[in-house]
Amino acid sequence: WCKPSNVAHYRMALPRSIRKATRIIVPSRCTADAVTEMFPDVAARLRIIPLGIGSQFRPVTDAQRCAHVRSQYRLPARFMLCLGNIEPKKNLGAVVRAYEQIAADSEEDLVIAGPKTWKCGDVLRIIKASPVAHRIHRTGPVAPEHLPALYSMASLLIQWSLWEGVGLPPLEAMACGTAAVVSDGGALPELAGRAAHVVPLGPPEALAEAVLSLLRDGDRCHEIVQKGRHLAECWTWPNHAQRVARLYEEAAGG
């Protein structure tokens, strides 16, 4: 799931840093468990401090702003969104397979937004060979200032990753008033799963059924949106910074 530089870093540089550190910050319980499983002796120095999402992530209702972003990335009128690097752990091949099963019954196209990165060849081939390839759109990288409008225009955000240490796109989508569908991979159910619709990893049919059901159930979708916006309000960078600052004070005093 990683490029060679990631492998080298996690095998060589990171263990040395962990052993030397006065305190170790991780963004989720899932990551904390992974660290302590490999380095049991660091448990007392480990602290979980959630990350944050920027204050710019809020619903965009400005029609002109949305029209500009739609034109910039040639977006369809209605779409479901996957956002992030095109790489193995994002499980995009399975998302495409799921979309193929519901495309005929849905008005939404599928938009995959993000850059091509390592080991993305299989996913690109799956998209190209798909019988609904004309309804699958790749935007390439998205400028940060365009993300709030992109999230706001999407019917759903889908992140069916095999594993995530955090997974910020679902939280950013929630803050923009868009319902999120996530897998149970890594920290996704721990963090976003309190407000997102969680679909356990498995055959693409399970994701297809869950997405189509959510699109057809306006009340359920509205409920998820409301829970998501409330949850996203807790994830701020000022909160993160304050907790990190207190940790430095604790370490200095200890």
Side-chain angles (χ1 to χ4, degrees):
W1 296 349
C2 297
K3 56 185 177 181
S5 59
N6 292 139
V7 175
H9 172 70
Y10 284 115
R11 284 183 178 173
M12 299 174 62
L14 191 60
R16 289 199 296 269
S17 296
I18 286 175
R19 293 187 179 100
K20 292 180 178 180
T22 304
R23 296 290 186 275
I24 302 158
I25 299 172
V26 293
S28 65
R29 168 55 58 187
C30 173
T31 305
D33 290 343
V35 172
T36 53
E37 180 180 351
M38 291 181 283
F39 305 94
D41 57 322
V42 307
R45 292 183 278 134
L46 198 65
R47 300 291 186 274
I48 301 171
I49 301 181
L51 302 180
I53 56 175
S55 58
Q56 72 272 26
F57 291 105
R58 56 184 181 273
V60 176
T61 57
D62 184 332
Q64 186 174 1
R65 183 177 171 190
C66 288
H68 170 73
V69 173
R70 192 182 299 279
S71 174
Q72 179 80 16
Y73 300 99
R74 300 180 181 180
L75 300 172
R78 297 173 62 91
F79 61 92
M80 296 173 281
L81 175 66
C82 294
L83 178 71
N85 292 339
I86 300 179
E87 59 175 279
K89 77 170 184 175
K90 300 299 182 182
N91 203 23
L92 291 171
V95 175
V96 171
R97 297 299 190 208
Y99 178 69
E100 291 172 353
Q101 298 176 37
I102 64 173
D105 299 313
S106 172
E107 297 180 6
E108 277 76 14
D109 284 7
L110 177 63
V111 169
I112 298 175
K116 294 185 291 185
T117 54
W118 57 93
K119 301 179 183 178
C120 64
D122 286 346
V123 171
L124 298 179
R125 284 188 286 271
I126 289 171
I127 294 172
K128 185 176 181 179
S130 174
V132 294
H134 61 291
R135 294 185 61 187
I136 301 173
H137 312 263
R138 288 198 301 109
T139 69
V142 177
E145 63 270 21
H146 294 157
L147 288 175
L150 180 64
Y151 283 129
S152 297
M153 289 188 288
S155 299
L156 293 175
L157 183 283
I158 301 174
Q159 185 157 19
W160 215 44
S161 300
L162 299 172
W163 187 268
E164 294 288 348
V166 181
L168 291 179
L171 294 161
E172 293 172 348
M174 290 174 186
C176 294
T178 298
V181 176
V182 302
S183 73
D184 58 350
L188 287 172
E190 172 192 344
L191 304 175
R194 286 176 284 166
H197 187 77
V198 180
V199 182
L201 289 165
E205 290 80 5
L207 177 62
E209 181 180 348
V211 167
L212 190 59
S213 174
L214 190 59
L215 288 172
R216 290 175 171 175
D217 189 343
D219 291 340
R220 171 63 176 155
C221 200
H222 178 74
E223 176 188 353
I224 291 176
V225 167
Q226 295 305 310
K227 287 183 177 179
R229 292 183 66 177
H230 179 72
L231 175 63
E233 290 174 356
C234 303
W235 286 67
T236 70
W237 286 118
N239 286 345
H240 174 84
Q242 289 170 8
R243 293 185 63 177
V244 171
R246 287 197 296 268
L247 185 58
Y248 270 99
E249 293 171 359
E250 173 193 313

